[in-house]
Amino acid sequence: MNHRIARKTNALDSLVMGCLIFLIPTLSYGAAAHTGGKIQNNMIADTRTTGGFPGPGISLESASGAQVDNNTIYLAGSYANAIEYRFSDTTGALIRNNLTNKLIAHFDSATGTETTNVTTAQAAWFVDPAASDLHLVSSIANVVNAGTTISGLTTDIDGDARPTGAAYDIGADEFQPDVTAPSVPTGLSATAFSSTQINLLWLASTDASAGGIPATGVSGYRIYRKTGSNAFAQIGTSTAVSYSDTGLTASTAYTYTVAAYDGANNLSAQAPSASATTQAGTSSSSSSSSSSSSSSSSSSSSSSSSSSSSSSSSSSSSSSSSSSSGSSSGGSGGGGAPSDGFLLALASLTAARLCSKRRG
């Protein structure tokens, strides 16, 4: 559906300002003649992606001296232009500080001046395009503080002062920075996991809008730790509602707190603290002593084995000595088989006796 102003009539200085327009993508001055007039601080959205698309969000037709300033237009369909001005009797148009996701175009010899417009807007830049809420969700480079000063235009669509920052913002919304911190995290607990690690858990914070300014949402949490009476110091961040603190000292008490921060870097107050003591660890001197004892035992075993071996060797030597001693005893008649010398002497003595008998 098209919404046209001054269609086939003469009109002077019409004003279209501060409107939220949904599924009505064409505002137009025109066909017969229109002089002057302003279209300022409007949000125009059409999020349909199928069906017919009647045309641009704003169209100037046969309109001279019109001003189109600080409008925000988001069209999801395939039509190429967000703002158009056409026909030769459209002259002297001023088109300034408009934020759109489609082009600004002129046809049929229309003339005008285009100043500091941005035609590359993304849906993610806005709070809710489907509901025609085209307020900015964050400070967009080349949009915030990037516009041209316009005489007489001193507020935005919400009545906020324009400019709020160093210069006019582009579009209907003068961006109001999120200055509200998230809620304080609750339910913080600390649990010793080992002699070197403590695990933290807590409940999520929320980040609500305030005074009509969109919230940027919770981005993460800062983790703080202290020991004894020392002050808290930040040791890390987490985007989850948990954190593991590692590399700690055994049998040591640690105290923790956390704080939430949002997309605008607003920081909440710190949560009530929680403490835990790391588990006791095995001391290195005990291990060393055990190792030393083990080594000593091994040494003793080795010594015992060596002693056994020595004893065995001694036994062998003794046996050998006994054998030698037995042989010697046999030779001297102390036992064992008679020696060759003894048998020879006995034979000689026997022969001598026989000879003596024969002579006698």
Side-chain angles (χ1 to χ4, degrees):
M1 176 170 67
N2 291 341
H3 179 72
R4 296 180 184 273
I5 296 173
R7 181 67 171 168
K8 296 184 177 177
T9 61
N10 293 325
L12 176 67
D13 293 335
S14 297
L15 177 65
V16 181
M17 177 178 278
C19 300
L20 290 175
I21 303 170
F22 179 53
L23 296 181
I24 308 175
T26 303
L27 292 175
S28 146
Y29 280 126
H34 191 288
T35 303
K38 299 175 181 178
I39 303 178
Q40 297 175 328
N41 282 347
N42 299 288
M43 291 183 177
I44 303 168
D46 185 352
T47 56
R48 294 173 298 168
T49 56
T50 59
F53 303 105
I58 296 174
S59 179
L60 301 180
E61 301 173 4
S62 300
S64 64
Q67 297 180 37
V68 180
D69 304 316
N70 285 94
N71 300 284
T72 301
I73 304 173
Y74 182 81
L75 307 178
S78 58
Y79 195 80
N81 303 321
I83 299 174
E84 294 179 349
Y85 50 110
R86 59 177 63 228
F87 306 131
S88 59
D89 49 354
T90 296
T91 58
L94 296 176
I95 301 173
R96 302 167 292 186
N97 296 350
N98 297 286
L99 177 59
T100 75
N101 70 321
K102 303 286 185 176
L103 300 176
I104 298 173
H106 60 93
F107 305 95
D108 309 317
S109 303
T111 61
T113 302
E114 300 173 20
T115 307
T116 56
N117 300 289
V118 172
T119 59
T120 56
Q122 307 293 315
W125 293 6
F126 308 117
V127 173
D128 188 1
S132 296
D133 188 349
L134 301 182
H135 288 87
L136 295 170
V137 296
S138 62
S139 180
I140 307 296
N142 302 320
V143 173
V144 173
N145 297 328
T148 298
T149 299
I150 296 172
S151 177
L153 187 59
T154 57
T155 60
D156 72 354
I157 189 171
D158 302 309
D160 294 322
R162 193 187 288 279
T164 294
Y168 278 40
D169 292 351
I170 294 173
D173 177 34
E174 190 73 14
F175 177 68
Q176 304 297 310
D178 176 8
V179 293
T180 304
S183 63
V184 179
T186 57
L188 176 63
S189 66
T191 305
F193 179 77
S194 69
S195 60
T196 60
Q197 179 174 324
I198 291 176
N199 293 336
L200 306 179
L201 285 173
W202 59 90
L203 299 177
S205 295
T206 58
D207 192 37
S209 60
I213 299 171
T216 52
V218 176
S219 296
Y221 301 87
R222 295 182 186 176
I223 320 300
Y224 303 87
R225 181 186 72 201
K226 73 171 183 174
T227 54
S229 60
N230 296 322
F232 279 111
Q234 185 178 336
I235 58 169
T237 61
S238 175
T239 55
V241 289
S242 61
Y243 184 82
S244 292
D245 189 18
T246 59
L248 304 177
T249 302
S251 303
T252 303
Y254 294 91
T255 302
Y256 298 88
T257 185
V258 297
Y261 62 92
D262 63 17
N265 212 30
N266 297 305
L267 188 65
S268 76
Q270 293 178 350
S273 63
S275 300
T277 300
T278 49
Q279 298 172 10
T282 304
S283 77
S284 56
S285 66
S286 201
S287 284
S288 172
S289 171
S290 173
S291 175
S292 177
S293 174
S294 209
S295 173
S296 176
S297 181
S298 176
S299 191
S300 177
S301 221
S302 174
S303 173
S304 178
S305 177
S306 175
S307 176
S308 225
S309 176
S310 177
S311 175
S312 176
S313 177
S314 177
S315 198
S316 174
S317 176
S318 176
S319 176
S320 177
S321 186
S322 253
S323 217
S324 235
S325 196
S327 240
S328 187
S329 279
S332 62
S339 71
D340 290 344
F342 174 75
L343 292 175
L344 185 57
L346 185 58
S348 296
L349 181 58
T350 302
R353 283 178 180 173
L354 284 175
C355 285
S356 175
K357 283 181 181 180
R358 283 174 189 173
R359 282 178 195 160

